[in-house]
Amino acid sequence: MSPPEVAVKVKSRAEGFPTAALLDWYRQNQRKLPFRPRRLKPGTGDDRGWEVPPNPYHVLVSEAMAQQTQIATVVPYFERFVAAFPTVHDLADADEQRVLTLWQGLGYYRRARNLHAAAKAIVNDHGGEVPHTAEQLLQLPGVGRYTAGAVASVAYDTPAPIVDGNVARVFARYFGIEDAVDRPVGQKQLWQLADNLVRDSGSPRDFNQGVMELGALVCTPKSARCLYCPLRDSCAAHKQGQADRLPVKTPKKKPIAVTHTVLAIRRGHKLLFEQRPPEGLWSNMWQLPTIENESSTPPEDYARSRLNLTIREAAFVDEFAHQTTHRSIRFRLFQCEVSGGRLRPGAGVWRRPNDLADLPLAKPQHAALKILKKQGKTAR
């Protein structure tokens, strides 16, 4: 399908969309979230005040956290984060290790680094004010088309389109889109629909949030609750009984299987932790010394060559799995004691297991420490 044909098809589809029904549903059924602007009496016509006023900084933080993460998980992290960094200036001035520590457990840590960099850019280039337009927001580190549209529309009521997983699912089902929603043709249709509809909605903030909320609460991935949907009377998938089949997506590639060897190296009551490189997975975070993709390297040789330490024979403790977007990682955990040598300068720090508050650790490291504690391999 050529671009002009796509545009005509999209414009035709957008006509007659039940925007008013969606807005009414959203104003009556929206979840109360600490970062979501909410009027005192949503849906009553009394729009004189706010229960939760629009806060562009809060919207930016929440959107960064909500990428590939469920809202229920985001809320407590958001509340701790903005308590530690109440303004964009506070975040811009913060130490990266502190930012990563407050983020640990959410995963996808590049989001935290990008948010930190975006805060610095907002302070340095925009006088501390989060930009109003999607075009300006796109210039911030880590801000893509969806996030730019979400912040512009939710924070400032700007008619900027958004397409995330929820929006793609709602539109694919309602409009009966057969093209894969994660491929260029499908994406083009979705973004053009989103743009046409939000511009004609009369309430960009509520329209965009309404579509997302509908996808999160009603038009869900595994079981569409069509009986409760305000769009069902004109929904193509509902009419054709295709809600379970749509949206169409490209099959995902199987994650690459790798093995990492984790070393719990003890010196007295302390364990050794090393900092990861500034680039790549879990960059700049801390970990128990880890041999990646070199399962044949004896731990004793690794400790000697990398750390300048002599360790007693490493004993196998347990193993566990962790899944990332592209990798299926098997962690094999060993524990051992130092018998000689002096730690190479800059190679790591010695810490008691209960003294790690300032060291950001990824989820696999917490899993390893939990195993060690359960088996009595660590001391307080």
Side-chain angles (χ1 to χ4, degrees), residues 123-322:
V123 170
N124 294 332
D125 303 334
H126 299 277
E129 183 178 13
V130 176
H132 287 234
T133 69
E135 291 73 22
Q136 290 177 312
L137 287 159
L138 279 168
Q139 303 306 310
L140 300 177
V143 173
R145 193 176 182 183
Y146 162 77
T147 301
V151 174
S153 60
V154 176
Y156 298 115
D157 208 22
T158 300
I162 60 167
V163 175
D164 69 348
N166 286 324
V167 174
R169 185 166 57 257
V170 170
F171 284 176
R173 287 173 176 170
Y174 180 84
F175 293 106
I177 296 174
E178 295 286 347
D179 298 296
V181 296
D182 54 356
R183 302 298 296 168
V185 172
Q187 280 283 298
K188 187 176 183 65
Q189 293 179 68
L190 292 169
W191 279 101
Q192 288 188 348
L193 282 165
D195 189 46
N196 290 347
L197 291 169
V198 75
R199 290 183 185 280
D200 293 338
S201 69
S203 180
R205 173 183 290 128
D206 286 357
F207 179 83
N208 279 347
Q209 291 185 111
V211 181
M212 288 192 290
E213 195 78 332
L214 189 68
L217 301 182
V218 176
C219 196
T220 56
K222 294 182 179 180
S223 57
R225 304 171 64 212
C226 298
L227 181 63
Y228 304 96
C229 180
L231 312 182
R232 72 174 182 273
D233 289 345
S234 49
C235 173
H238 178 61
K239 290 179 180 179
Q240 299 164 13
Q242 298 293 316
D244 292 339
R245 188 178 64 81
L246 296 176
V248 176
K249 293 183 179 179
T250 305
K252 292 182 179 180
K253 293 182 179 179
K254 186 177 180 180
I256 299 172
V258 298
T259 299
H260 292 179
T261 300
V262 181
L263 305 179
I265 302 175
R266 286 193 294 126
R267 188 186 69 180
H269 295 311
K270 295 182 178 180
L271 289 171
L272 180 62
F273 291 86
E274 63 181 6
Q275 190 171 25
R276 291 184 62 82
E279 300 294 334
L281 188 64
W282 302 311
S283 54
N284 280 344
M285 300 188 74
W286 292 79
Q287 65 183 11
L288 297 167
T290 301
I291 308 170
E292 297 187 4
N293 305 324
E294 299 179 22
S295 56
S296 61
T297 302
E300 296 80 8
D301 293 350
Y302 179 85
R304 187 181 305 109
S305 62
R306 176 69 178 270
L307 306 171
N308 196 41
L309 295 176
T310 302
I311 60 174
R312 295 189 177 92
E313 184 176 356
F316 176 74
V317 177
D318 203 350
E319 65 179 45
F320 59 96
H322 181 79

Side-chain angles (χ1 to χ4, degrees), residues 1 13 35 38 52 81 104 120 175 222 232 250 259 275 320 325:
M1 188 182 298
R13 281 175 165 173
F35 41 79
R38 180 179 173 85
V52 181
F81 198 87
Q104 62 183 346
K120 293 177 183 292
F175 293 106
K222 294 182 179 180
R232 72 174 182 273
T250 305
T259 299
Q275 190 171 25
F320 59 96
T325 304

